[in-house]
Amino acid sequence: FPTRRSSDLAYTPPPKMDFSQLRMDSNQVNYVMRVFCYVARRLPSADDGGIANPFIVVRCSGKTMVTKVKKRTLNPEWYETLTTEIELPNQQDENAPAPTLVILLYHSDDGRDFLPEDLENKSRKKVLLGRYWLELDTSVRKKFKGLTETIDIIYKKPKWVPIVYDKDDV
């Protein structure tokens, strides 16, 4: 197996975005976002033992959600649903930015679970394994009939997506 130097795994997160102006705009639409995290396969190892303690971070519209850490596996199974309320620009507004869901896959050095506020804590060591960007299309809606009411939902069928480490699609 090729060995990685810590400099090969260097990652500088993008600058924090200021969503306050977007939130003040009355052209925002409220959503409940549910992200279903199922499984990952053949992840790169993150330590000398050839193993990883992976967890997923999901970011959208200034909100951050985190799955549990799966210990000592390159083929984790989460089967978790992450839920939060978000505000997105109205897609009828042609000047509105396209909303994007950012999925980051990390390795936890200590194997303990992370909270969203732990991600900025420098004493908690984590290693970026890969990421994926998903542009959200809020114009595609389906009817969902619940027990008491029918609501509009935006649904994407689950599919396998490749994670990439850097801008060269490694």
Side-chain angles (χ1 to χ4, degrees):
F1 294 102
T3 58
R4 291 184 182 172
R5 297 182 308 263
S6 61
S7 62
D8 293 340
L9 300 175
Y11 169 66
T12 304
K16 293 259 186 210
M17 293 184 66
D18 180 13
F19 290 95
S20 59
Q21 187 60 38
L22 285 175
R23 288 192 186 107
M24 291 176 8
D25 185 356
S26 62
N27 207 13
Q28 296 288 300
V29 179
N30 294 320
Y31 292 92
V32 174
M33 181 173 67
R34 288 185 182 90
V35 177
F36 302 94
C37 300
Y38 296 113
V39 298
R41 294 291 178 252
R42 298 183 306 277
L43 296 178
S45 65
D47 63 18
D48 293 335
I51 208 75
N53 299 319
F55 67 99
I56 298 172
V57 175
V58 177
R59 291 189 169 141
C60 185
S61 189
K63 298 287 181 96
T64 301
M65 300 178 290
V66 182
T67 65
K68 301 268 187 224
V69 171
K70 295 299 176 178
K71 294 179 179 70
R72 303 188 47 77
T73 181
L74 299 179
N75 299 298
E77 297 181 2
W78 288 279
Y79 296 105
E80 287 184 44
T81 303
L82 305 176
T83 304
T84 190
E85 293 182 12
I86 60 171
E87 293 178 338
L88 297 176
N90 187 340
Q91 292 300 291
Q92 305 302 325
D93 180 357
E94 55 196 45
N95 296 322
T100 302
L101 187 73
V102 179
I103 301 162
L104 302 157
L105 182 64
Y106 285 102
H107 158 76
S108 169
D109 270 356
D110 60 15
R112 296 181 313 168
D113 288 335
F114 274 76
L115 296 172
E117 53 270 17
D118 294 334
L119 296 171
E120 305 305 322
N121 183 347
K122 300 291 185 203
S123 66
R124 292 289 314 271
K125 300 283 191 243
K126 62 189 181 307
V127 176
L128 179 71
L129 298 176
R131 58 190 134 206
Y132 185 77
W133 294 264
L134 177 67
E135 197 167 298
L136 301 178
D137 182 0
T138 58
S139 66
V140 179
R141 297 174 182 271
K142 296 182 179 187
K143 296 288 184 190
F144 176 77
K145 186 169 179 142
L147 295 175
T148 58
E149 62 183 331
T150 300
I151 59 171
D152 281 341
I153 65 169
I154 299 163
Y155 174 79
K156 288 219 176 247
K157 185 177 178 181
K159 67 176 186 172
W160 284 100
V161 295
I163 60 168
V164 295
Y165 180 73
D166 59 21
K167 64 183 178 194
D168 298 323
D169 288 339
V170 172

